[in-house]
Amino acid sequence: MSNVKVKQFRRSIMAKNLVIVESPAKAKTIEGFLGKDFLVKSSFGHVRDLAKKGMAVDTDKDFSPVYEVSPDKEKVVAELRKLAKSAEIVWLATDEDREGEAISWHLFETLKLDDDNTKRIVFHEITKPAILKAIQNPRTIDKHLVDAQQARRILDRLVGFELSPILWKKIKPSLSAGRVQSVAVRLIVEREREILNHKSVSSFKVSALFLAGSAAFKAELKSNFTSRDEAMAFLQKCRNAVFTVNALDTKPAKKSPAAPFTTSTLQQEASRKLGFSVKRTMSVAQRLYESGKITYMRTDSVNLSDLAMEMAAGVIKNNFGEKYVNPRRYKTKSKGAQEAHEAIRPTYMENSSIDGERDEMRLYDLIWKRTLASQMADAELEKTTAQIGTAATTETFVAQGEVIKFDGFLKVYMESSDDEGDDNEKQEGMLPAMSVGQQLGLENITATQRFTHHPPRYTEASLVKKLEELGIGRPSTYAPTISTVQDRGYVVREDREGKPRNYDVLTLKSGNINEEIRTENTGAEKSKLFPTDIGMVVTDFLQQYFPQIMDYNFTASVEEEFDRIADGEMDWRKMLKDFYRPFHQEVEKTSETSERASGERLLGVDPNSGKNVYTRIGRFGPLAQIGESDDEKKKFASLRKDQRLEMITLEEALELFKLPRISGQYEGKDMKIAIGRFGPYIQHNSAFYSIPKTDDPMSVSVERCIEIIEAKRKADAEKEIKVFEPERPDVRLLNGRWGPYLAIGKDNFRLPKGTDPLTLSLQDCLKLAEEQGGGKSKKAAASKAVPAKATKAPAKKTKAPAKKSATPKKKPAKKAVASKKVK
């Protein structure tokens, strides 16, 4: 044993104080602030949860939950229990929100701790002053916060456990429903139907380029013309017109900075400015928090502490001068916000940048700028509006200019927007000097055909904003909800190509009118959320039979009840009872009386067989069907990924039945083109190769098929850096989108910055995984080496022991126990 390990071992035995946190990164940071009398250990998240087998909630016994220690946490619990027995004081230092409070309570129960020597400490930033202050001001576990978390966890289990089997029975196997996730999917489904039902209307937008002396500026008519003829008639009137300035209006204006970040606004702005998914934002923010660089990242407060405001004012004064300083206090608008908490901010405002991974540096920069800007002076502007007319027509052109007189907070930061449209066409900068009555030169007048936009599809960020507006979910639930609806296959986040569209442009220049047809790309989408067919069918079914569960106001009212439980104003068991009784009756009624749902549509008749052609949801997803359900000779064809049940035409459906087809041979084997659950593919020599979206499976050539096959073979060969065969073929070092990474079975782990993957040994890899993944990596490390012959399915081999241990045959009472009542 090395000297370092000996010292750590002795310290663990001798430590008077045991501090328990959720993560190894947080433990490492805190340990640096405390003396030799403190040992900081991680629980690696929750150590106990509702039992996986059955409902795990006794609805007949006052909704008593049945908890079990996760199999991969047994060693963690055993170690913490041993250390707790030898410690004089156990400090539970998990996060300050309801989830953190619940982790502390579960640790208290599972480790069998005593009230006399157990203290609960909370802090919203991991800095030495904050940790020491928390040590000096301990409290007991807040049972009301624990009750609120338990109520949420149990209610979500009840809803999922009772609704999911109905979906299996009435739609297709392996589906799930959730109290918040189903409502989130409903938002996306309803928006998609708004878009599908949108009828685009065209009009002609008229703009002119005027000259004041030698300076050119743009002006627009206040309203559009509804037809080409109206636009043409207007241009005819303007052929010999003289334009003058009818009115000038100059007004001062101000822009104020946005409030510091909450969880929701950070997720939105990181999406707009950095292109981060909600999940990625929270993962990076968690690392920044645990390393002591920012305050707690799950908050709905926009409040800043006095100390933070003083630090910000000092930085602003030193960098920009006294006139840029304007201390502000913001009030939170969202329901149930906790003003005692702080907004997300840097722990030390003087640090304008940090060292770390690129994502961490970029997100920190965003947080630092937003926080600093929130304490800066308003930007002072001057807005000028000119109205320009002619005796030839009653229509008036309007030109608007804006000039910044004092940049204020804009020196640091400007908030982005989700708005889509023609904002980029607005006048920017200042207008040239003009006077009322001044005659202007005319360069040209252009009437451009424009089309009304459908409502924008949700991005992850705009969906978070909508959920927050409706009062659905809380800072800790936004990211998991959005991840869940995508993981379950109800929603996809993807880019989609637009389609060409012609539009008319009429231009008056030098007394002549010219007309031309131009082409633009319309309907292109980037990182938008689309409902899948199964998502739409499930949403329709749930809305028909469980309208209360799918109601936005009801879901928001449940969140308010959780808040009341957390404040000690409502009993959590009564809340569950009031919800469950009528809900359970509805479940039983629906199970017996509801019809099967498949989203079936009759498209028309197959001209070859004379049989009806349908689209519907099948066991493996959306499909087209020729013939009735009881027809023994009915045919099936899977829909392509870019096709939808509600949109596909008869002609498009019939094309699907031309597959599978043989495109040709390669290496003496057929190349078969087909469409499966995940889209079109080539089957060659028992291997499968996805056909890119840019290729049409109906017409892809032999040469192109060979290109696709060879490209995939090359990518697979280059992806693998190192495999530890024959000892651990499930442990691999691979090249990924963001660089090299470690894969153990189905679990992935980051490599420290600057690490050369070729220099890592098997033990190095297992250690890295243990440091990052806790129980998962320990489970993988403890599993036996997979024989060399079993390289095709290493993940199943390594995970098998965990599955067995989840339902032990001996002493089940130690694994699953009814929890104590929380009073």
Side-chain angles (χ1 to χ4, degrees), residues 760-805:
L760 295 176
S761 66
L762 176 59
Q763 290 306 313
D764 292 334
C765 291
L766 295 177
K767 185 179 178 183
L768 272 173
E770 184 174 344
E771 288 172 354
Q772 291 179 43
K776 282 186 180 180
S777 58
K778 288 185 177 180
K779 175 177 67 181
S783 66
K784 295 180 181 179
V786 183
K789 291 181 182 178
T791 56
K792 286 188 178 180
K796 291 184 180 179
K797 291 276 185 182
T798 54
K799 295 212 172 191
K803 289 182 180 177
K804 289 179 181 177
S805 62

Side-chain angles (χ1 to χ4, degrees), residues 33-105:
F33 301 142
L34 300 173
K36 62 182 181 180
D37 290 337
F38 287 81
L39 176 67
V40 187
K41 285 288 182 180
S42 169
S43 69
F44 297 94
H46 277 279
V47 296
R48 193 173 73 158
D49 196 5
L50 291 175
K52 290 184 178 179
K53 190 174 182 180
M55 186 186 287
V57 179
D58 194 333
T59 56
D60 295 325
K61 292 186 178 178
D62 221 8
F63 296 89
S64 296
V66 178
Y67 290 113
E68 68 176 5
V69 174
S70 309
D72 60 342
K73 294 295 176 68
E74 289 174 359
K75 288 185 179 180
V76 175
V77 169
E79 181 191 10
L80 292 176
R81 190 175 285 159
K82 183 178 179 181
L83 293 171
K85 283 182 180 179
S86 61
E88 293 180 12
I89 301 177
V90 177
W91 305 82
L92 300 175
T94 52
D95 291 341
E96 60 178 339
D97 58 9
R98 295 171 196 171
E99 205 69 28
E101 205 71 22
I103 292 174
S104 281
W105 178 71

